[in-house]
Amino acid sequence: MVELKSEAALAAMREAGRVVATALAQVERAAAVGVSLLELDEVARGVLREAGATSPFLGYRPSFAPVPFPAVICASVNDAVVHGIPDGYRLRDGDLVSIDCGAVLDGWAGDAAVSFTVGTPRPEDLRLIDTTRRALEAGIAAALVGNRTGDIAHAVGTVARTARYGLLEGFGGHGIGRRMHEDPHLPNEGRPGRGFPLKPGLVLAIEPMLIAGGTDTHTTDPDGWTLRTTDATRAAHIEHTVAITESGPRILTLP
């Protein structure tokens, strides 16, 4: 069932979104050569704790997962696309890092992700990150009353495919509200004019996941969570929680 949110609900979700934005900014600031992924998770935990928020990631166990997720961020490095579990891995010069984070505050959720490089960046990684960001921006620009989810999917997919990047098969964005994952599902590629109609009060997490080598397929690590590119090329993941309003798309996960 799809729930349309009131202005009061959107205001509450905006506050949850601020917590997510703060956590992501502090994690990115802390990410440096030699810092472990577990240390980055601790940074995000501190932000949530200070804000009085909880994590929708911690303990989350969808049907595909062999164990509940043990952290408050997903930390995916280099060829890991999404759902990386923070561990003792210490960041190295040139790593491409994607961090996904959520927060629940006063019963409402926010969800966003960033990708960045550590130390000396590879030009091809910067291009991948920039294209992923542009794909997200195109999707947000299509998040208009009267459009459909297919219009967002088409906008995201067009940017990715024009740049000859892959899109993680079977994964995309989603509705969000009192729960992190709500209807409708939002593919990262699709046909304009198709899908669920965009109405005022609908809130979506829009999240392009681009693969440098142009493939769409993935493998799953033994942990049952981490998804990696099958061609071992790098990936980027950038996400915002976005509300559909009469005055245009409203990004809820900005600082």
Side-chain angles (χ1 to χ4, degrees), residues 88-104:
Y89 176 84
R90 294 193 177 276
L91 295 172
R92 301 171 183 172
D93 188 52
D95 277 348
L96 193 167
V97 183
S98 296
I99 302 293
D100 193 355
C101 184
V104 176

Side-chain angles (χ1 to χ4, degrees), residues 19 26 53 75 113 152 163 177 201 215 245:
V19 176
Q26 291 198 18
I152 297 175
T215 60
T245 78

Side-chain angles (χ1 to χ4, degrees), residues 189-213:
E189 191 168 30
R191 297 176 62 182
R194 301 292 183 91
F196 191 83
L198 305 184
K199 301 177 181 179
L202 178 65
V203 184
L204 299 169
I206 305 174
E207 48 179 321
M209 307 162 206
L210 273 57
I211 297 172

